[in-house]
Amino acid sequence: MSVKIEWKVFTAETQSDGTWKSNSPSLEELLNVIASPLRIKEYTPDIEHSMAQLAIKGLPYFRITEVTSGNTGASGIKTEQVHA
């Protein structure tokens, strides 16, 4: 799974290894500190979505804009656009 968050020109996406990838190195570094799997306190079946939820709590201008799941659909990938 992958979850993308956006605000203006800034985008960031969760990675399967529990890190963030962003078009801004500074944003990427910040997200890897404030919204890492180590910051999630309770059990979650979807760590990447929980990381994104934590990120938008810390960065309220950001919104989840896309959720990509790798376990459904003909090609094995399902993408859901989220309109916030």
Side-chain angles (χ1 to χ4, degrees), residues 1 67-80:
M1 167 170 273
V67 178
T68 304
S69 174
N71 58 3
T72 59
S75 66
I77 298 175
K78 179 183 176 187
T79 301
E80 172 187 346

Side-chain angles (χ1 to χ4, degrees), residues 41-63:
K41 307 270 188 233
E42 65 279 339
Y43 168 78
T44 177
D46 186 345
I47 195 74
E48 291 182 54
H49 195 268
S50 295
M51 288 168 58
Q53 290 290 336
L54 191 57
I56 62 175
K57 282 182 184 175
L59 302 168
Y61 291 109
F62 281 79
R63 298 288 178 252

Side-chain angles (χ1 to χ4, degrees), residues 19-39:
T19 62
W20 286 89
K21 182 177 180 180
S22 176
N23 65 339
S24 164
S26 297
L27 176 60
E28 185 174 309
E29 184 177 344
L30 176 65
L31 287 169
N32 282 316
V33 171
I34 69 167
S36 73
L38 297 174
R39 298 288 217 167

